[in-house]
Amino acid sequence: QVQLVESGGGLVQPGGSLRLSCAASRNIFAFIATGWYRQAPGKQREFVAEISSGGSTDYAGSVKGRFTISRDNAKNTIQLQMNSLQAEDTAVYYCHARVTALYYWGQGTQVTVSS
């Protein structure tokens, strides 16, 4: 069983920043890629960002230039630095790790952007 635990969510004002972290129960080097999805109320889960085992990154167009994904293989953690947050970023953020098409998921952490 693979355990993924997110932390760092909370309430932030528009224009503010948050840093999410995901702790994995096994070495993330074994996964093809790790990253983040998010789901807002009444909407489908959408891709946010991913980092491959080789270190390449991919971002959704809506967050590109504002979010940065990184990893620490030694600590088995994945981070998502979120800057210039907007109300549209409000969602539950889910950490994932995958081997080809097989995904493992964390329980999610709430991010709320509001004045």
Side-chain angles (χ1 to χ4, degrees), residues 44-82:
Q44 295 182 346
R45 187 175 298 186
E46 66 175 350
F47 171 80
V48 175
E50 194 171 71
I51 183 167
S52 74
S53 60
S56 62
T57 58
D58 190 25
Y59 297 93
S62 58
V63 307
K64 189 176 181 65
R66 299 188 296 120
F67 291 9
T68 303
I69 188 170
S70 61
R71 70 183 183 194
D72 188 329
N73 288 333
K75 297 180 179 179
N76 292 329
T77 58
I78 306 99
Q79 296 82 40
L80 184 68
Q81 178 66 46
M82 305 185 295

Side-chain angles (χ1 to χ4, degrees), residues 3-10 18-24 28 34-36 68-72 75-82 93-96 106-111:
Q3 302 288 333
L4 300 171
V5 181
E6 302 95 333
S7 62
L18 284 174
R19 187 173 187 268
L20 305 183
S21 183
C22 174
I28 59 175
T34 57
W36 300 85
T68 303
I69 188 170
S70 61
R71 70 183 183 194
D72 188 329
K75 297 180 179 179
N76 292 329
T77 58
I78 306 99
Q79 296 82 40
L80 184 68
Q81 178 66 46
M82 305 185 295
Y93 284 70
Y94 296 92
C95 177
H96 76 264
Q107 81 288 348
T109 185
Q110 177 70 51
V111 173

